[in-house]
Amino acid sequence: MKFLRGQTVVVPKKHYSFTDMPTEDAGALFATVKMLTGMIEDAMLADGSNVGLNNKTAAGQLVPHVHVHIIPRMDGDNGGSMHSIVAVSGAGNDLEELAEMLRVD
């Protein structure tokens, strides 16, 4: 695994997958991620950052414990966006069907 200078991994003390986290814990995790992202960007003089997590092995999660990556980015660093991770042909062709599946009454 290659880490970039300033890359940070935020790991909660309690052990679970992201989708098993209680909502309050997920909120606290991302409040911490938000605070640290600003601090890291300022300290690194970064132009931006990528923030993300992999949930379960199909998504590339290697450690079976929720953790969030903060990756400071510089203009022209030749890194990709989140969109560069996965490109699926025709992924938006069934948006109405997916919306119906996700609708909460």
Side-chain angles (χ1 to χ4, degrees), residues 22 30 39-40 43 45 58 62-63 65 70 77-78 80 87 92-93 102 104:
F30 275 91
M39 292 171 66
I40 292 164
L45 303 175
L62 300 176
V63 178
H65 181 91
I70 303 169
D77 67 8
N78 296 318
N93 294 345
L102 297 171
V104 177

Side-chain angles (χ1 to χ4, degrees), residues 4 85 95:
L4 300 173
I85 297 170
L95 292 179

Side-chain angles (χ1 to χ4, degrees), residues 3-14:
F3 279 86
L4 300 173
R5 186 168 186 265
Q7 181 173 347
T8 302
V9 179
V10 182
V11 183
K13 291 182 180 180
K14 295 181 182 175

Side-chain angles (χ1 to χ4, degrees), residues 38-52:
M39 292 171 66
I40 292 164
E41 286 181 357
D42 289 347
M44 300 292 302
L45 303 175
D47 299 309
S49 58
N50 291 107
V51 175

